[in-house]
């Protein structure tokens, strides 16, 4: 890792990419403190230890607590991405065709996602401002149609700008831009998690100093174990051997080599956790603004961040999204057709449908293991919070996202460094 970091700073183009990414993140952090017009953000402190608000605030990097330009973070973009990807699964034929057209089709789907993000952002911004003001009177200064319109447009523009920043990171920086922005927001809230631990254990119980130190040490050991487990699973690969038959084309002979198909245990990365958390937060977020009504109170109870129903639904959604996103990235039928096209076969497996069925069977087994691991890492820290009473919104979801994004970014840096070595070898 240290060699990779050292090589990254020595390579000029790679160093420029890293500095560009850091510059974008600096813009993101500055925008998190730019207030929205006609809003008294100090009123938000009345929410106290609201679990839903705390988790949303964590993903926004504290921007929601400030009701700033980036208060909605990229939640509308994530929701729009989920909708577009679901519609691309043969629900809308045009979207399904674009999904199969390669880079050109992906650009069209990305354009639709951008438009849908703006629409969802406007809806969420209007609902957020009106419902927040109902829950916390005095949050909106001089509430009215014009005031709400200005706030909604400002919040939507912030989300659109944040989406554009993420695309710039992906194109000109390092790593996946959206994931990097989420990563930065979670890391920015790490200081709050440390302060919560200090206030809950050391400040409120100064007479239990030794016991508190033991708790902190055990918690740090648990974090290290979780990080090691995440790295182990994220790096896990199931290699399916592939043999290519020899074939003569003109006067040349092709094929005859042996290779493999690398199927990752967790090919979906941290996307299923982000998708599941975003969907589960939506009902509770809407319901808490109508508190006092029996149905809204029931929804808030059912979808509470620490409730049993929430935990069960999150496990099921993570497993479902892991399978969904894995099959979006890896198409067994397309793999089998490409292997048959180039005279490739898996030893002991007939080409065609048998090969496709074999790949699906292997993918289902390893994806299930990866999905269960993602669910366990996400849920166990919530159970830990229920037992200790600590509202650590940095928890398992944040730890998983931070570790996963860091791994993916380091892999991209290593691959670019490796390409530079190959170029030097070719020139020589």
């Amino acid at each position: 890792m240290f060699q990779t970091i050292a090589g990254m700073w020595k390579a000029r183009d790679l160093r420029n990419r890293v500095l560009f990414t850091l510059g974008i993140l600096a813009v993101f952090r500055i925008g998190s403190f730019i207030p929205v017009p006609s809003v008294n953000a100090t009123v938000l402190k009345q929410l106290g230890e609201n679990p839903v608000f705390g988790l949303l605030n964590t993903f926004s990097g504290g921007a929601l607590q400030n009701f700033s330009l980036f208060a909605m973070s990229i939640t509308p973009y994530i929701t729009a991405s989920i909708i577009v990807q679901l519609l691309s699964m043969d629900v809308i034929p045009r979207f399904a065709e674009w999904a199969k057209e390669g880079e050109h089709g992906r650009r069209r789907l990305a354009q639709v996602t951008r438009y849908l993000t703006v629409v969802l952002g406007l809806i969420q911004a209007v609902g957020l401002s009106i419902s927040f003001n109902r829950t916390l009177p005095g949050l909106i200064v001089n509430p009215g149609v014009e005031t709400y319109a200005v706030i909604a447009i400002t919040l939507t523009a912030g989300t659109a700008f944040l989406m554009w920043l993420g695309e710039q990171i992906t194109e000109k920086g390092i790593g996946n831009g959206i994931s990097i922005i989420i990563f930065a927001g979670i890391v920015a809230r790490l200081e709050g998690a440390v302060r919560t631990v200090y206030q809950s254990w050391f400040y409120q119980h100064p007479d239990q100093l030794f016991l508190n130190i033991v708790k902190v040490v055990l918690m740090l050991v648990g974090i290290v174990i979780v990080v090691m487990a995440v790295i182990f699973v994220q790096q896990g690969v199931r290699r399916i051997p592939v043999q290519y038959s020899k074939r003569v084309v003109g006067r040349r002979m092709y094929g005859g080599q042996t290779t493999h198909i690398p199927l990752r245990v967790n090919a979906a990365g941290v996307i299923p956790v982000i998708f599941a958390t975003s969907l589960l937060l939506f009902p509770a977020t809407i319901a808490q603004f109508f508190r006092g009504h029996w149905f809204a109170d029931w929804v808030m109870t059912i979808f509470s961040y620490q409730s049993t129903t929430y935990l069960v639904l999150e496990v099921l959604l993570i497993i479902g999204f892991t399978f969904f996103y894995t099959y979006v990235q890896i198409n067994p039928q397309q793999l089998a057709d490409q292997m048959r096209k180039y005279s490739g076969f898996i030893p002991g497996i007939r080409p065609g449908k048998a090969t496709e069925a074999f790949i699906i069977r292997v993918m289902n087994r390893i994806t299930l293991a990866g999905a269960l691991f993602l669910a366990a890492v996400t849920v166990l820290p919530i159970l830990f919070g229920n037992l200790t009473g600590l509202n650590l919104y940095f928890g398992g979801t944040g730890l998983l996202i931070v570790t996963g994004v860091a791994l993916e970014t380091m892999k991209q840096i290593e691959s670019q460094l490796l390409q530079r070595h190959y170029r030097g070898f070719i020139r020589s």
Side-chain angles (χ1 to χ4, degrees), residues 49 191-206 212 390 392:
E49 297 295 330
E191 178 269 337
V194 174
R195 187 171 61 249
T196 300
V197 172
Y198 173 77
Q199 293 178 349
S200 300
W201 288 351
F202 291 90
Y203 183 77
Q204 297 181 3
H205 303 282
N212 293 333
L390 292 176
L392 296 178

Side-chain angles (χ1 to χ4, degrees), residues 394-416:
F394 182 81
T397 303
L399 190 62
L400 184 62
I401 293 174
V402 167
T403 306
V405 172
L407 280 175
E408 291 298 327
T409 306
M410 288 300 297
K411 281 184 179 179
Q412 184 171 344
I413 294 174
E414 290 176 354
S415 64
Q416 293 198 17

Side-chain angles (χ1 to χ4, degrees), residues 81-100 105 109 112-113 324 328:
S81 299
I82 296 173
I83 294 174
V84 171
Q85 289 186 5
L86 289 175
L87 295 179
S88 301
M89 303 295 289
D90 294 329
V91 177
I92 297 181
R94 179 64 61 85
F95 285 8
E97 292 177 4
W98 289 349
K100 298 176 182 178
L109 291 176
V112 173
T113 304
F324 168 75
V328 167

Side-chain angles (χ1 to χ4, degrees), residues 225-396:
I225 293 175
V226 170
V227 171
M228 293 175 60
V230 170
I231 294 174
F232 179 78
V233 174
Q234 292 288 90
Q235 300 288 81
V237 176
R238 168 73 158 86
R239 293 181 173 87
I240 300 179
V242 178
Q243 178 70 41
Y244 286 92
S245 302
K246 293 182 179 180
R247 55 194 178 94
V248 178
V249 179
R251 296 183 178 181
R252 292 188 176 184
M253 180 176 292
Y254 295 90
Q257 72 271 21
T258 301
T259 183
H260 65 271
I261 301 174
L263 296 180
R264 295 176 55 187
V265 175
N266 182 24
V270 298
I271 298 299
V273 179
I274 297 175
F275 281 5
T277 304
S278 299
L279 286 182
L280 287 177
L281 286 177
F282 183 75
T285 303
I286 300 300
Q288 72 173 339
F289 305 131
F290 302 94
R291 60 178 62 187
H293 191 276
W294 68 269
F295 182 74
D297 293 340
W298 177 80
V299 171
M300 290 176 60
T301 303
I302 293 298
F303 289 93
S304 174
Y305 177 64
Q306 297 173 327
S307 67
T308 303
T309 305
Y310 180 93
L311 297 180
V312 173
L313 289 176
E314 183 156 35
V315 169
L316 294 177
L317 284 176
I318 288 175
I319 294 175
F321 276 125
T322 302
F323 276 92
F324 168 75
Y325 205 76
T326 299
Y327 277 87
V328 167
Q329 290 186 313
I330 304 172
N331 190 331
Q333 181 180 2
Q334 186 177 4
L335 276 177
D337 291 342
Q338 287 180 350
M339 290 170 55
R340 182 171 56 180
K341 180 180 178 180
Y342 294 101
S343 302
F345 63 93
I346 300 174
I349 307 296
R350 295 176 61 87
K353 291 293 183 181
T355 298
E356 179 183 349
F358 177 80
I359 295 175
I360 292 176
R361 185 166 65 250
V362 174
M363 283 180 58
N364 287 340
R365 291 177 179 177
I366 63 175
T367 302
L368 178 61
L372 292 176
F373 173 78
L374 287 179
V377 172
T378 305
V379 168
L380 287 179
I382 299 178
L383 299 178
F384 172 78
N386 292 340
L387 293 175
T388 59
L390 292 176
N391 293 320
L392 296 178
Y393 307 112
F394 182 81

Side-chain angles (χ1 to χ4, degrees), residues 70 72-79 159 162-163 178-179 181-182:
F70 298 147
M72 294 194 304
S73 186
I74 56 170
T75 305
Y77 177 81
I78 295 174
T79 306
T159 297
L162 201 57
M163 175 182 62
I178 302 301
S179 300
I181 289 177
I182 297 176

Side-chain angles (χ1 to χ4, degrees), residues 182-193:
I182 297 176
F183 170 90
I186 294 174
V187 171
R189 300 300 298 166
L190 179 60
E191 178 269 337

